[in-house]
Amino acid sequence: MEGNMRLSLKVWRQSNTDAAGGFEDYKLDNVSPDMSFLEMFDVLNEQLIEEGKEPVAFDHDCREGICGMCSMYINGRPHGPLRGVTTCQLHMRSFKDGDTIVVEPWRAQAFPVIKDLVVDRDAFDRVISAGGFVSVNTGNAQDANSLPIAKEAADDAFAAAACIGCGACVAACKNASAMLFVSAKISQLALLPQGQAERSIRAEKMVAQMDAEGFGACTNTGACSAECPKEISLENIARMNREYIGAKFSSSAV
């Protein structure tokens, strides 16, 4: 069709965590510039199935940029060439006819490859379980005005809570650090009155779990925030460091 593109794809294929992986080359014709990147992969997989080959495994769910499931490293960048965009919201008009596109999974010790482009991000869940919660009475709903919250604090908490836990920050970091993710989850609670009950221990526990999962240390390069599809601010890392020091003083005083 007129206006459609021909693309060459180099896609990472790996049958399981322990197997050796490698790139395989694929050709696609008639790719509409209005397709999303995941729709382009749907077309590739239909082609592979018709050829009697195994389709490429990749994570996806909402395809609306809010669930954090899509996780492709595209031409050397998490989620591709655009800022503030998830893989599922990246459209093929961001590429040109005849382009070669290299697609890999997230690369991090804490995110082992399950198959092809699918990685295990359970480490994030364990970090949240360590302290990313609040003590609340879930039996009844409180009136919305019973806990007055300053507008600036509410806005900052909302901005931190925009983190979708996709792991792009880890994939972008040369040290595979999860500091941006962890700091966002700590910040969204530390800024609100509901998060004060566990505040003295939250940062200490979550950072300890982050280290136990094998994530690297932060060296303030800033690649995490630059590649984050929700543009989570580095200010959250500074806040987490303050929370962590405060938690350490609180625990040592007990």
Side-chain angles (χ1 to χ4, degrees):
M1 293 177 62
E2 186 177 353
N4 285 359
M5 301 182 291
R6 293 183 176 183
L7 298 172
S8 298
L9 303 177
K10 295 179 72 69
V11 181
W12 184 264
R13 303 303 305 265
Q14 185 171 337
S15 59
N16 57 61
T17 303
D18 299 321
F23 287 103
E24 292 193 13
D25 296 332
Y26 303 105
K27 301 288 186 182
L28 277 184
D29 298 327
N30 294 327
V31 175
S32 169
D34 295 324
M35 285 182 180
S36 73
F37 202 83
L38 296 190
E39 287 172 336
M40 182 270 292
F41 259 82
D42 291 337
V43 172
L44 170 63
N45 279 344
E46 289 176 5
Q47 177 178 303
L48 292 175
I49 291 170
E50 289 175 358
E51 294 172 356
K53 299 176 181 177
E54 187 171 6
V56 178
F58 62 93
D59 266 330
H60 62 100
D61 194 355
C62 74
R63 300 199 178 201
E64 295 178 347
I66 57 176
C67 74
M69 284 298 291
C70 54
S71 53
M72 294 185 185
Y73 207 79
I74 303 166
N75 285 348
R77 295 183 64 181
H79 294 300
L82 302 184
R83 289 199 66 169
V85 173
T86 55
T87 300
C88 62
Q89 293 292 288
L90 176 68
H91 287 80
M92 299 314 297
R93 53 181 169 266
S94 298
F95 303 92
K96 300 189 295 293
D97 183 37
D99 274 357
T100 296
I101 304 175
V102 182
V103 187
E104 306 169 69
W106 290 167
R107 302 290 192 183
Q109 178 183 331
F111 289 163
V113 174
I114 296 174
K115 185 176 182 179
D116 296 339
L117 304 176
V118 180
V119 298
D120 184 350
R121 286 173 282 185
D122 284 352
F124 272 6
D125 294 332
R126 291 189 288 270
V127 171
I128 293 294
S129 297
F133 53 83
V134 295
S135 295
V136 294
N137 177 4
T138 59
N140 55 294
Q142 293 191 9
D143 184 84
N145 295 320
S146 64
L147 293 171
I149 301 171
K151 177 69 164 57
E152 184 177 349
D155 288 345
D156 288 345
F158 185 86
C163 169
I164 56 176
C166 65
C169 52
V170 176
C173 179
K174 61 184 180 182
N175 305 320
S177 172
M179 289 280 276
L180 192 69
F181 164 77
V182 177
S183 68
K185 299 307 178 185
I186 289 174
S187 292
Q188 72 183 59
L189 300 176
L191 290 163
L192 301 176
Q194 295 94 330
Q196 302 311 301
E198 292 85 11
R199 186 174 183 178
S200 62
I201 60 172
R202 178 179 295 114
E204 187 174 6
K205 287 189 172 182
M206 292 180 73
V207 170
Q209 187 63 42
M210 175 184 71
D211 291 341
E213 296 294 342
F215 292 107
C218 175
T219 49
N220 297 311
T221 304
C224 53
S225 182
E227 298 294 352
C228 174
K230 298 303 175 181
E231 300 181 302
I232 301 298
S233 172
L234 291 175
E235 291 178 3
N236 291 296
I237 295 179
R239 183 179 297 108
M240 185 186 79
N241 287 334
R242 294 193 296 270
E243 292 290 316
Y244 181 78
I245 293 171
K248 279 296 186 182
F249 275 119
S250 297
S251 62
S252 62
V254 176

